[in-house]
Amino acid sequence: MLLYVGEFSLAIAFKAHVQASALVGVVSAAVSNLSTRLKNSMRVDDPMDIFSVHALAGMVGCFMTGLFAQSSVAANDGFSEIDGGWLDQNWKQMYKQIAVSWFQSIAVHPG
């Protein structure tokens, strides 16, 4: 479980504060864990939990990056300039994050 927290916190680490990164990791891990339990009750064949770990937790991480990304944190490296996310009143970023999540899910769908 801690591996999931670190994995999704790393993706947002350079765009948001540490507390937001930890929250993204915990929520992504919880979604992944709960979907694994739901998968077992639905009798879905996914023995390595690929869908719950990569698809669902990735979508949650992508969405929450749009919430917590901040231009002040990204500028700490000296050259990155971003508009930020929901916390910086960049409301359009949420729509972009949702669109990217849906596009990725459609693009990688095997059928």
Side-chain angles (χ1 to χ4, degrees), residues 12 14-17 20 63-74 82-90 93 97:
I12 192 175
F14 300 108
K15 296 177 187 79
H17 288 287
F63 177 75
M64 291 184 78
T65 299
L67 283 175
F68 295 121
Q70 290 184 296
S71 59
S72 61
V73 176
I82 63 171
D83 294 332
W86 190 270
L87 293 179
D88 285 339
Q89 283 109 23
N90 182 13
Q93 187 63 34
Q97 297 297 115

Side-chain angles (χ1 to χ4, degrees), residues 11-60:
I12 192 175
F14 300 108
K15 296 177 187 79
H17 288 287
V18 174
Q19 296 88 349
S21 297
L23 180 65
V24 170
V26 169
V27 171
S28 297
V31 166
S32 178
N33 192 9
L34 292 174
S35 64
T36 300
R37 293 179 186 194
L38 181 64
K39 171 200 72 155
N40 291 334
S41 67
M42 294 176 58
R43 296 181 171 213
V44 175
D45 184 26
D46 187 13
M48 295 176 56
D49 300 325
I50 302 294
F51 181 77
S52 64
V53 171
H54 292 92
L56 296 179
M59 287 176 108
V60 169

